[in-house]
Amino acid sequence: MPRPRTARAPRFAAGCLAAALLACLTSCSGGGSPDPGAGAAGLGDRLFPGAGNGGYDVTHYGLDLSYDPATGRLSGTAVVSATATQDLTRLNLDLAGLTVSRVSVDGRTARTNRSGTELTVRPAGTLRRGSHFAVTVAYAGVPRVVTDPDGSHEGWLRTDDGALALGEPVGSMGWFPGNDHPSDKAAFDLTMSVPAGLTVVSNGELAGTRTAAGRTAFHWRSTAPMATYLATVGIGHYTVSRSRTPGGIPLYTAVDPRAADATTTAALARLPEILDWETGRFGRFPFGSSGAIVDHLPRGSVGYALETQNRPAFPGDGDGPAVDVTTLVHELSHQWFGDSVTPRSWQDMWLNEGFATYAEWMWQEHDAGVPLSRSAAEAFADPATWSFPPAAPPKAADVSAQPVYARGALVLYELHQALGDGAFDRLLRGWAAAHSHGNASTADFTAYCTRLAGRDLTPLFATWLYGTAKPARL
């Protein structure tokens, strides 16, 4: 997610989740239960303690859904396939709003109850540790917008001809039940039925379409593991283009013509060039295809782009062009740093945004001759950069704040200076490869850098990554 063009405070509030649900996500305890067979109703993430659930590891999401843009109603089933990491007599899924009509575990009806964003499922029998199981949830309703702690909007964002789903940090629970935390990645199959004439675009590759009785179902498949916050679906009247980069990466790009201003069109024309340049810097592209989703949303409703896996999403909401070249560089770099190598917890967010911001600086040097030192100096001079250490956002509202981006990038600038060009190039490619399609923490990163450097880097990290005071000079 790039730094916003304007303040992230939203300009509309209709349909937002109740404050009590948000409070649950940011302050509910992820602690244990007297029942030893109960999966925790939260993973205890320092910033979002109620996000995610304990006791199981999801391997696959199968979403078979239908959407009616005229009424805003979403309906269907979600099949959550998982492996039990403990004996389970009950488990939780994250789901905000929507009406659950039926739940089964391995085909047997399960008892349920709901509290806030927690859907508690009680299987007919105990799920033994190591066993594989599938929870099927039938649900329906009009999805509601999720409001982040910083006031921005995500979840299911209704448009005048369809919808766009965005999930960072906890918006996916607004349209499907799951284990909504970045540490639990899984493969996805999404089938979405819409009125004929509309297009559905999502993550992964288009596996097929089927039209009958005035409706078309689009089947999208993501075989690479994906965090729930990176799942997306766009529904609308899109102009779709298919091509390849010079290096051979397949591209699928869907653009609402109303968002195709001159800046956006010019930026998208450079997508193949940018992606191949990033492949040269960061290593082999980690997914089967790429591209972009550019949609048309109500004015002022979003204010950010998002690195949704495979193809980033750019909601054109009237606050400037839907996408420019710098934003495109940023979101595409996330395919390595954030999507393939995903943070283990939300306080590790700087591993996404610091790398993506530094990718912007590298591109500006490559494309426009702007020295890295100048970009670093501008970030260093901004007082907002020093509000807190990038590896320790004080609260949930700070995960997308300036230090996570700019000071995160300064950590990489200092590493670049300390290691030299050759070793830093190995760092970029090696880090992306070492944790490809997995999760990594800040501690994993500092240990990796120390091994690569072959010397103690503690003073550098103590100053730039963890220090509370601004250094005397860059």
Side-chain angles (χ1 to χ4, degrees):
M1 183 185 295
R3 288 189 299 278
R5 293 184 291 268
T6 58
R8 295 189 68 192
R11 300 183 193 174
F12 75 103
C16 293
L17 285 175
L21 302 189
L22 177 60
C24 178
L25 274 172
T26 56
S27 64
C28 286
S29 171
S33 162
D35 180 356
L43 290 176
D45 187 288
R46 185 177 67 80
L47 298 176
F48 293 86
N53 305 281
Y56 63 93
D57 174 50
V58 180
T59 55
H60 182 265
Y61 290 94
L63 307 178
D64 190 355
L65 304 174
S66 178
Y67 185 61
D68 181 3
T71 63
R73 189 172 190 269
L74 181 72
S75 62
T77 60
V79 180
V80 183
S81 301
T83 301
T85 58
Q86 66 176 73
D87 287 352
L88 285 172
T89 56
R90 72 171 188 256
L91 62 108
N92 281 35
L93 296 170
D94 299 306
L95 182 64
L98 302 169
T99 299
V100 174
S101 58
R102 185 179 69 260
V103 177
S104 63
V105 178
D106 292 337
R108 301 175 68 186
T109 299
R111 293 181 295 119
T112 64
N113 68 277
R114 299 188 69 176
S115 176
T117 59
E118 299 292 338
L119 170 64
T120 301
V121 178
R122 292 176 171 80
T126 299
L127 301 172
R128 297 300 179 187
R129 179 179 179 182
S131 65
H132 305 289
F133 64 93
V135 181
T136 301
V137 181
Y139 63 100
V142 177
R144 292 177 286 177
V145 175
V146 174
T147 302
D148 288 340
D150 68 358
S152 61
H153 289 155
E154 56 175 286
W156 191 266
L157 305 169
R158 194 172 176 182
T159 65
D160 59 3
D161 62 350
L164 179 66
L166 302 175
E168 188 179 58
V170 291
S172 72
M173 66 175 181
W175 63 284
F176 69 90
N179 197 13
D180 197 6
H181 190 269
S183 61
D184 194 359
K185 301 170 69 169
F188 275 74
D189 277 272
L190 166 73
T191 299
M192 180 70 73
S193 170
V194 295
L198 294 178
T199 296
V200 177
V201 59
S202 187
N203 313 94
E205 280 66 59
L206 183 61
T209 60
R210 181 182 69 256
T211 300
R215 296 185 68 84
T216 302
F218 293 76
H219 177 195
W220 286 89
R221 172 170 292 155
S222 300
T223 56
M226 179 167 66
T228 51
Y229 82 90
L230 297 170
T232 189
V233 59
I235 301 168
H237 292 102
Y238 299 118
T239 299
V240 173
S241 62
R242 296 176 176 87
S243 61
R244 288 180 179 268
T245 72
I249 302 168
L251 301 176
Y252 183 107
T253 300
V255 181
D256 187 312
R258 295 170 295 176
D261 55 79
T263 300
T264 294
T265 301
L268 292 176
R270 301 194 71 181
L271 191 156
E273 171 196 359
I274 293 167
L275 201 54
D276 278 357
W277 174 81
E278 292 187 337
T279 300
R281 298 309 306 265
F282 309 143
R284 184 176 180 273
F285 187 68
F287 305 110
S289 68
S290 189
I293 305 170
V294 181
D295 213 336
H296 176 76
L297 276 80
R299 178 172 291 275
S301 60
V302 182
Y304 62 88
L306 191 63
E307 62 269 22
T308 46
Q309 191 155 303
N310 286 77
R311 51 190 54 82
F314 303 94
D317 63 358
D319 280 346
V323 57
D324 55 32
V325 169
T326 300
T327 305
L328 189 58
V329 169
H330 184 108
E331 301 305 337
L332 289 173
S333 72
H334 274 310
Q335 304 307 305
W336 287 265
F337 308 111
D339 294 12
S340 177
V341 184
T342 304
R344 195 174 304 279
S345 71
W346 282 115
Q347 74 175 27
D348 299 313
M349 179 79 152
W350 82 274
L351 288 171
N352 292 15
E353 303 302 350
F355 270 99
T357 302
Y358 202 68
E360 292 180 31
W361 298 357
M362 292 167 62
W363 171 261
Q364 289 162 2
E365 183 174 66
H366 161 79
D367 190 56
V370 178
L372 285 167
S373 58
R374 183 187 303 175
S375 298
E378 290 175 357
F380 184 83
D382 186 346
T385 299
W386 305 99
S387 301
F388 57 82
K395 55 188 183 300
D398 295 321
V399 293
S400 293
Q402 175 83 346
V404 174
Y405 292 72
R407 192 168 164 190
L410 286 175
V411 172
L412 296 173
Y413 177 79
E414 290 298 315
L415 279 169
H416 196 164
Q417 303 309 300
L419 298 175
D421 290 344
F424 187 73
D425 285 345
R426 292 194 296 275
L427 168 61
L428 291 175
R429 298 170 68 89
W431 173 250
H435 295 278
S436 178
H437 299 307
N439 293 92
S441 66
T442 298
D444 293 327
F445 179 73
T446 57
Y448 182 88
C449 292
T450 299
R451 290 194 300 271
L452 179 69
R455 65 180 188 273
D456 184 15
L457 296 174
T458 301
L460 186 154
F461 292 126
T463 299
W464 296 93
L465 185 55
Y466 296 109
T468 57
K470 180 179 179 180
R473 58 186 175 81
L474 188 63

